[in-house]
mmCIF file of all heavy atoms in Angstrom:
data_model
loop_
_atom_site.group_PDB
_atom_site.id
_atom_site.type_symbol
_atom_site.label_atom_id
_atom_site.label_comp_id
_atom_site.label_asym_id
_atom_site.label_seq_id
_atom_site.Cartn_x
_atom_site.Cartn_y
_atom_site.Cartn_z
ATOM 1 N N PHE A 34 49.619 -8.441 -70.528
ATOM 2 C CA PHE A 34 50.853 -7.620 -70.706
ATOM 3 C C PHE A 34 52.024 -8.457 -71.081
ATOM 4 O O PHE A 34 52.187 -9.643 -70.591
ATOM 5 C CB PHE A 34 51.191 -6.920 -69.337
ATOM 6 C CG PHE A 34 50.328 -5.682 -69.022
ATOM 7 C CD1 PHE A 34 49.713 -5.576 -67.823
ATOM 8 C CD2 PHE A 34 50.118 -4.695 -69.981
ATOM 9 C CE1 PHE A 34 48.933 -4.469 -67.533
ATOM 10 C CE2 PHE A 34 49.355 -3.604 -69.754
ATOM 11 C CZ PHE A 34 48.784 -3.505 -68.485
ATOM 12 N N ASP A 35 52.887 -7.946 -71.918
ATOM 13 C CA ASP A 35 54.235 -8.442 -72.172
ATOM 14 C C ASP A 35 55.210 -7.445 -71.663
ATOM 15 O O ASP A 35 54.999 -6.209 -71.848
ATOM 16 C CB ASP A 35 54.483 -8.692 -73.677
ATOM 17 C CG ASP A 35 53.686 -9.887 -74.144
ATOM 18 O OD1 ASP A 35 53.519 -10.887 -73.399
ATOM 19 O OD2 ASP A 35 53.155 -9.850 -75.340
ATOM 20 N N TYR A 36 56.366 -7.896 -71.089
ATOM 21 C CA TYR A 36 57.368 -7.100 -70.468
ATOM 22 C C TYR A 36 58.656 -7.224 -71.163
ATOM 23 O O TYR A 36 59.252 -8.311 -71.291
ATOM 24 C CB TYR A 36 57.506 -7.371 -69.006
ATOM 25 C CG TYR A 36 56.189 -7.339 -68.191
ATOM 26 C CD1 TYR A 36 55.352 -8.460 -68.115
ATOM 27 C CD2 TYR A 36 55.849 -6.207 -67.514
ATOM 28 C CE1 TYR A 36 54.181 -8.382 -67.417
ATOM 29 C CE2 TYR A 36 54.659 -6.162 -66.789
ATOM 30 C CZ TYR A 36 53.812 -7.264 -66.751
ATOM 31 O OH TYR A 36 52.684 -7.149 -66.014
ATOM 32 N N ASP A 37 59.269 -6.094 -71.654
ATOM 33 C CA ASP A 37 60.595 -6.055 -72.177
ATOM 34 C C ASP A 37 61.484 -5.156 -71.272
ATOM 35 O O ASP A 37 60.996 -4.136 -70.851
ATOM 36 C CB ASP A 37 60.591 -5.484 -73.585
ATOM 37 C CG ASP A 37 59.955 -6.421 -74.607
ATOM 38 O OD1 ASP A 37 59.862 -7.633 -74.330
ATOM 39 O OD2 ASP A 37 59.477 -5.942 -75.664
ATOM 40 N N TYR A 38 62.693 -5.615 -71.016
ATOM 41 C CA TYR A 38 63.583 -4.915 -70.075
ATOM 42 C C TYR A 38 64.689 -4.300 -70.921
ATOM 43 O O TYR A 38 65.182 -4.829 -71.887
ATOM 44 C CB TYR A 38 64.111 -5.857 -69.050
ATOM 45 C CG TYR A 38 63.160 -6.205 -67.967
ATOM 46 C CD1 TYR A 38 62.101 -7.137 -68.209
ATOM 47 C CD2 TYR A 38 63.194 -5.601 -66.694
ATOM 48 C CE1 TYR A 38 61.197 -7.452 -67.201
ATOM 49 C CE2 TYR A 38 62.276 -5.942 -65.716
ATOM 50 C CZ TYR A 38 61.308 -6.867 -65.948
ATOM 51 O OH TYR A 38 60.369 -7.126 -64.945
ATOM 52 N N ASP A 39 65.158 -3.091 -70.426
ATOM 53 C CA ASP A 39 66.368 -2.450 -70.996
ATOM 54 C C ASP A 39 67.082 -1.720 -69.872
ATOM 55 O O ASP A 39 66.523 -1.519 -68.784
ATOM 56 C CB ASP A 39 65.935 -1.495 -72.117
ATOM 57 C CG ASP A 39 67.095 -1.219 -73.047
ATOM 58 O OD1 ASP A 39 68.214 -1.616 -72.802
ATOM 59 O OD2 ASP A 39 66.847 -0.531 -74.115
ATOM 60 N N GLU A 40 68.222 -1.226 -70.213
ATOM 61 C CA GLU A 40 69.065 -0.555 -69.148
ATOM 62 C C GLU A 40 69.128 0.931 -69.396
ATOM 63 O O GLU A 40 69.285 1.377 -70.515
ATOM 64 C CB GLU A 40 70.515 -1.152 -69.199
ATOM 65 C CG GLU A 40 70.635 -2.578 -68.856
ATOM 66 C CD GLU A 40 72.000 -3.188 -69.106
ATOM 67 O OE1 GLU A 40 72.696 -2.636 -70.063
ATOM 68 O OE2 GLU A 40 72.380 -4.121 -68.443
ATOM 69 N N VAL A 41 69.014 1.676 -68.333
ATOM 70 C CA VAL A 41 69.262 3.110 -68.260
ATOM 71 C C VAL A 41 70.066 3.422 -67.056
ATOM 72 O O VAL A 41 70.210 2.595 -66.158
ATOM 73 C CB VAL A 41 67.941 3.936 -68.291
ATOM 74 C CG1 VAL A 41 67.135 3.772 -69.617
ATOM 75 C CG2 VAL A 41 67.047 3.560 -67.101
ATOM 76 N N GLY A 42 70.470 4.693 -66.923
ATOM 77 C CA GLY A 42 71.256 5.077 -65.774
ATOM 78 C C GLY A 42 72.655 4.543 -65.767
ATOM 79 O O GLY A 42 73.279 4.355 -66.761
ATOM 80 N N PHE A 43 73.171 4.233 -64.546
ATOM 81 C CA PHE A 43 74.578 3.803 -64.427
ATOM 82 C C PHE A 43 74.853 2.493 -65.115
ATOM 83 O O PHE A 43 75.913 2.254 -65.675
ATOM 84 C CB PHE A 43 74.928 3.703 -62.966
ATOM 85 C CG PHE A 43 75.303 5.022 -62.315
ATOM 86 C CD1 PHE A 43 74.514 5.535 -61.323
ATOM 87 C CD2 PHE A 43 76.335 5.816 -62.785
ATOM 88 C CE1 PHE A 43 74.832 6.786 -60.789
ATOM 89 C CE2 PHE A 43 76.707 6.963 -62.257
ATOM 90 C CZ PHE A 43 75.929 7.534 -61.226
ATOM 91 N N ALA A 44 73.823 1.566 -65.124
ATOM 92 C CA ALA A 44 73.989 0.298 -65.890
ATOM 93 C C ALA A 44 74.283 0.510 -67.327
ATOM 94 O O ALA A 44 75.119 -0.106 -67.939
ATOM 95 C CB ALA A 44 72.772 -0.565 -65.677
ATOM 96 N N SER A 45 73.560 1.503 -67.918
ATOM 97 C CA SER A 45 73.754 1.856 -69.345
ATOM 98 C C SER A 45 75.054 2.558 -69.507
ATOM 99 O O SER A 45 75.803 2.407 -70.518
ATOM 100 C CB SER A 45 72.607 2.628 -69.854
ATOM 101 O OG SER A 45 72.879 3.058 -71.179
ATOM 102 N N LEU A 46 75.429 3.474 -68.573
ATOM 103 C CA LEU A 46 76.635 4.240 -68.635
ATOM 104 C C LEU A 46 77.832 3.376 -68.644
ATOM 105 O O LEU A 46 78.833 3.530 -69.434
ATOM 106 C CB LEU A 46 76.640 5.278 -67.462
ATOM 107 C CG LEU A 46 77.919 6.256 -67.513
ATOM 108 C CD1 LEU A 46 77.833 7.167 -68.644
ATOM 109 C CD2 LEU A 46 77.922 6.963 -66.144
ATOM 110 N N ASP A 47 77.879 2.389 -67.754
ATOM 111 C CA ASP A 47 78.991 1.453 -67.683
ATOM 112 C C ASP A 47 79.188 0.679 -68.951
ATOM 113 O O ASP A 47 80.263 0.309 -69.328
ATOM 114 C CB ASP A 47 78.815 0.474 -66.429
ATOM 115 C CG ASP A 47 78.857 1.317 -65.131
ATOM 116 O OD1 ASP A 47 79.353 2.433 -65.118
ATOM 117 O OD2 ASP A 47 78.404 0.752 -64.125
ATOM 118 N N LYS A 48 78.101 0.252 -69.516
ATOM 119 C CA LYS A 48 78.117 -0.654 -70.690
ATOM 120 C C LYS A 48 78.167 0.086 -72.010
ATOM 121 O O LYS A 48 78.872 -0.339 -72.931
ATOM 122 C CB LYS A 48 76.909 -1.555 -70.698
ATOM 123 C CG LYS A 48 76.973 -2.625 -71.746
ATOM 124 C CD LYS A 48 75.754 -3.567 -71.701
ATOM 125 C CE LYS A 48 75.694 -4.373 -70.390
ATOM 126 N NZ LYS A 48 74.623 -5.339 -70.452
ATOM 127 N N HIS A 49 77.526 1.282 -72.130
ATOM 128 C CA HIS A 49 77.484 1.930 -73.428
ATOM 129 C C HIS A 49 77.956 3.370 -73.432
ATOM 130 O O HIS A 49 77.945 4.047 -74.480
ATOM 131 C CB HIS A 49 75.951 2.053 -73.836
ATOM 132 C CG HIS A 49 75.244 0.668 -73.874
ATOM 133 N ND1 HIS A 49 75.524 -0.231 -74.928
ATOM 134 C CD2 HIS A 49 74.391 0.073 -73.062
ATOM 135 C CE1 HIS A 49 74.737 -1.335 -74.698
ATOM 136 N NE2 HIS A 49 74.092 -1.170 -73.606
ATOM 137 N N GLY A 50 78.446 3.846 -72.250
ATOM 138 C CA GLY A 50 79.018 5.223 -72.197
ATOM 139 C C GLY A 50 77.994 6.292 -72.140
ATOM 140 O O GLY A 50 78.337 7.481 -72.214
ATOM 141 N N THR A 51 76.736 5.978 -71.925
ATOM 142 C CA THR A 51 75.693 7.000 -71.776
ATOM 143 C C THR A 51 74.609 6.432 -70.902
ATOM 144 O O THR A 51 74.302 5.257 -70.915
ATOM 145 C CB THR A 51 75.134 7.401 -73.146
ATOM 146 O OG1 THR A 51 73.969 8.319 -72.981
ATOM 147 C CG2 THR A 51 74.574 6.197 -73.941
ATOM 148 N N THR A 52 73.932 7.373 -70.107
ATOM 149 C CA THR A 52 72.838 6.917 -69.240
ATOM 150 C C THR A 52 71.579 6.618 -69.997
ATOM 151 O O THR A 52 70.738 5.953 -69.453
ATOM 152 C CB THR A 52 72.589 7.944 -68.205
ATOM 153 O OG1 THR A 52 72.271 9.163 -68.785
ATOM 154 C CG2 THR A 52 73.733 8.174 -67.187
ATOM 155 N N LEU A 53 71.482 7.120 -71.203
ATOM 156 C CA LEU A 53 70.248 6.899 -72.071
ATOM 157 C C LEU A 53 70.655 6.863 -73.545
ATOM 158 O O LEU A 53 71.035 7.839 -74.094
ATOM 159 C CB LEU A 53 69.224 7.985 -71.839
ATOM 160 C CG LEU A 53 67.931 7.930 -72.640
ATOM 161 C CD1 LEU A 53 67.213 6.600 -72.324
ATOM 162 C CD2 LEU A 53 67.049 9.109 -72.383
#
Side-chain angles (χ1 to χ4, degrees):
F34 283 130
D35 288 324
Y36 304 85
D37 291 336
Y38 285 75
D39 202 352
E40 295 171 331
V41 293
F43 280 117
S45 177
L46 183 68
D47 292 342
K48 187 178 294 187
H49 304 286
T51 176
T52 55
L53 180 61

